[in-house]
Amino acid sequence: MKALIALHFQNDICHPDGLIPFAVDRSGPAPDLFLDRSRTLISRARDAGWLVAHVHIAFQLDYSDLLRNAPLFRAAGEFGALKRGTWGAAPMHGFEPAPGDVTLIHSCNNAFQGTGLEGILRERAVSHVAVAGLATQYSVEHTVRHAADLGYVVTMVRDCCGSANEAAAQASFAAMAMLARIVTLDEIEF
């Protein structure tokens, strides 16, 4: 069984009016192309019978669960972003979970941390996971590393991973090539 882990396709992170300015480069046509490819990836994974796990990052309205040990986490509070139950924390249009999908919420980078994702994958006898989403060098890379450590065969879908820092994203793909198969949407095996 295969699964797709779709990370942080949320309004505050992806939408042009979102409050997080550094997750994806919103200039030019690149973000729309990335988002279109990512929607296609999710659709194809569903059609192929994969488990689709949407992992969203969201915080209590008072940010009582916000980690404050790193600038990345503190920024969410400073921008007033990703509050549970708000438009900003909701899935971006076209990324809403479908029946049969799994939706998990966490307050950190790693899709496995505090979500129960490992148990869900084990329960469904998943052996292969593909990872896509935002941001490449943070949440995607952290999730790829953890999945590999858990023994999953991991694929990282490079044109369905977003980042506002192209150099950091390219470094992430190069580093993750020792832990995962790095492919484009057109190269992934469904």
Side-chain angles (χ1 to χ4, degrees):
M1 174 77 169
K2 295 182 179 181
L4 170 63
I5 302 171
L7 284 156
H8 304 164
F9 288 106
Q10 298 164 259
N11 289 318
D12 268 347
I13 297 171
C14 300
H15 194 279
D17 296 329
L19 296 176
I20 303 290
F22 52 77
V24 65
D25 180 359
R26 294 180 175 139
S27 63
D32 291 335
L33 185 57
F34 152 70
L35 292 169
D36 288 344
R37 284 185 183 133
S38 299
R39 286 183 189 97
T40 299
L41 172 64
I42 292 169
S43 177
R44 288 183 184 169
R46 281 187 192 121
D47 291 347
W50 292 22
L51 171 66
V52 176
H54 303 269
V55 181
H56 296 157
I57 187 167
F59 305 99
Q60 297 296 329
L61 295 177
D62 64 358
Y63 291 113
S64 59
D65 57 344
L66 176 69
L67 295 172
R68 299 179 194 283
N69 62 320
L72 179 65
F73 299 130
R74 287 192 302 269
E78 290 166 7
F79 292 126
L82 298 166
K83 293 180 180 181
R84 288 180 188 250
T86 66
W87 172 86
M92 190 170 169
H93 178 71
F95 290 95
E96 300 87 357
D101 291 356
V102 171
T103 303
L104 304 167
I105 298 174
H106 67 164
S107 58
C108 59
N109 278 305
N110 181 353
F112 291 92
Q113 180 68 34
T115 62
L117 178 58
E118 181 182 1
I120 292 167
L121 298 179
R122 299 274 186 228
E123 180 180 281
R124 298 184 189 205
V126 170
S127 57
H128 292 69
V129 297
V131 184
L134 298 108
T136 305
Q137 70 275 19
Y138 302 121
S139 300
V140 176
E141 181 175 322
H142 201 124
T143 299
V144 166
R145 288 178 184 277
H146 196 109
D149 282 351
L150 292 173
Y152 293 102
V153 176
V154 184
T155 300
M156 190 175 184
V157 190
R158 78 178 296 133
D159 54 348
C160 297
C161 293
S163 175
N165 184 329
E166 184 62 24
Q170 293 307 317
S172 181
F173 295 132
M176 292 305 93
M178 294 300 288
L179 297 175
R181 186 167 171 248
I182 312 299
V183 300
T184 66
L185 173 61
D186 293 335
E187 296 168 334
I188 196 166
E189 299 170 10
F190 290 98

